[in-house]
Amino acid sequence: MEVNSIADVITAVAVASLPIIAAYVSRWLKGNKRAETLVSVLPTLAKDAVVAMQKLGVTEAIEGEVKKSHAVQIVAKALSYLGFNETNEATLANAVESAYAQLKADGTLDAYPQASKTDDKQAEIAKAEAELASLKEQEATAQKQLDALKGAQN
């Protein structure tokens, strides 16, 4: 093997050590029942949390990152009830993202139409249009009264 740079050496060492690391992690997970339980229950909890947040999104206008953080909190709380008090936030967030992607791909989340925030600008425009219509009605009424007064003078 010809070594051209340090990057080639690092890559070769990483590729050679990958099976050893994978075997060690696999052996550790099999030996650690607590980790095995966490790995088996986490996807289910994450899916349930994602569906719960989607259902909540039907009635309340919550979006993206807010939903994700609430789903992560739901999973963390459920895990604490199961005795897993020390959980990695990034792991939970990844599980929630994975569950969301899977549920979105299989169409499960399409059953929950999301509420949207009312646009303040649109509300202001609607209010202004209503006021304009009212003013036009008042103008038409005043014009009729003026025409009636002019007609009465003649």
Side-chain angles (χ1 to χ4, degrees):
M1 180 171 114
E2 186 177 318
V3 179
N4 291 330
S5 68
I6 293 178
D8 291 338
V9 173
I10 292 173
T11 303
V13 170
V15 168
S17 63
L18 190 61
I20 297 168
I21 293 170
Y24 174 76
V25 169
S26 173
R27 202 172 324 123
W28 179 78
L29 283 175
K30 287 179 183 175
N32 190 343
K33 293 293 181 187
R34 187 168 171 85
E36 185 178 336
T37 303
L38 179 62
V39 167
S40 67
V41 77
L42 187 58
T44 305
L45 291 174
K47 283 181 183 178
D48 291 344
V50 168
V51 170
M53 290 312 301
Q54 282 296 112
K55 285 182 179 179
L56 183 62
V58 172
T59 57
E60 296 182 23
I62 55 175
E63 297 177 353
E65 194 61 37
V66 175
K67 279 186 187 180
K68 179 183 166 187
S69 66
H70 284 300
V72 168
Q73 290 173 357
I74 290 170
V75 173
K77 190 176 225 180
L79 287 174
S80 71
Y81 288 147
L82 295 173
F84 296 99
N85 295 326
E86 295 179 23
T87 54
N88 183 350
E89 190 85 14
T91 302
L92 299 182
N94 288 338
V96 166
E97 287 177 9
S98 174
Y100 178 83
Q102 184 179 6
L103 291 169
K104 190 70 172 173
D106 67 17
T108 303
L109 300 181
D110 295 338
Y112 307 107
Q114 298 301 295
S116 59
K117 291 182 179 179
T118 56
D119 190 5
D120 291 338
K121 296 263 186 215
Q122 291 296 334
E124 288 178 27
I125 290 171
K127 185 178 178 181
E129 286 176 347
E131 288 178 18
L132 179 61
S134 174
L135 289 173
K136 283 184 178 182
E137 286 177 19
Q138 290 175 1
E139 179 188 16
T141 304
Q143 187 65 41
K144 285 180 185 178
Q145 288 175 349
L146 180 64
D147 290 343
L149 287 174
K150 284 182 181 179
Q153 281 182 343
N154 292 335

